């Protein structure tokens, strides 16, 4: 068995890795390019979503716990970035320092 990779095989491997890296980068860029959720959107209003958790209506959303933000919610799919995808709001991004009543503390 030949354990060496041919020059042509090496070229194909490099090309494949480059395509994979580009695809990953494009996916990340798309997540970052999601438009921000509108606080005035019906679903956002129903869930009490605010871009800034400090502005949550605590009288209306008594389940809010101090320190809870999208960044430490199980449903936040972004890194610790400013904005990221959320399973509750498909197609838009939520603010890392935001909050809504569907909050689930990250395990
Ligand atoms: Fe933020 Fe979690 Fe509500 Fe999504 S479910 S908006 S991440 S608090």
């Amino acid at each position: 068995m030949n354990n060496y990779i041919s020059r042509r095989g090496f070229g194909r491997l490099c090309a494949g890795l480059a395509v994979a890296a580009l695809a990953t980068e494009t996916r990340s860029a798309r997540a970052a390019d999601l438009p921000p959720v509108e606080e005035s959107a019906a679903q956002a209003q129903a869930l009490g979503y605010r871009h800034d958790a400090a502005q949550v209506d605590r009288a209306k959303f008594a389940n809010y716990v101090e320190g809870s933000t999208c960044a430490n919610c199980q449903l936040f799919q972004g890194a610790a970035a400013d904005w990221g995808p959320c399973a509750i709001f498909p197609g838009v991004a939520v603010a890392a320092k935001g909050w809504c009543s569907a909050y689930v503390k990250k395990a």
Side-chain angles (χ1 to χ4, degrees), residues 5-92:
I5 188 166
S6 70
R7 189 176 293 189
R8 183 177 292 168
F10 181 72
R12 284 186 191 142
L13 177 64
C14 289
L17 289 174
V19 168
L22 186 61
T24 301
E25 193 173 308
T26 302
R27 236 178 281 131
S28 301
R30 267 194 216 124
D33 288 344
L34 288 174
V37 61
E38 296 286 336
E39 288 182 331
S40 59
Q43 187 180 359
Q45 294 253 314
L47 294 173
Y49 172 82
R50 299 303 305 259
H51 295 316
D52 182 352
Q55 296 177 357
V56 169
D57 182 343
R58 291 152 203 243
K60 194 170 176 185
F61 298 97
N63 65 327
Y64 174 76
V65 175
E66 197 68 43
S68 303
T69 63
C70 294
N72 57 41
C73 174
Q74 191 73 44
L75 303 171
F76 188 63
Q77 299 165 348
D82 289 339
W83 294 83
C86 163
I88 298 293
F89 296 99
V92 290

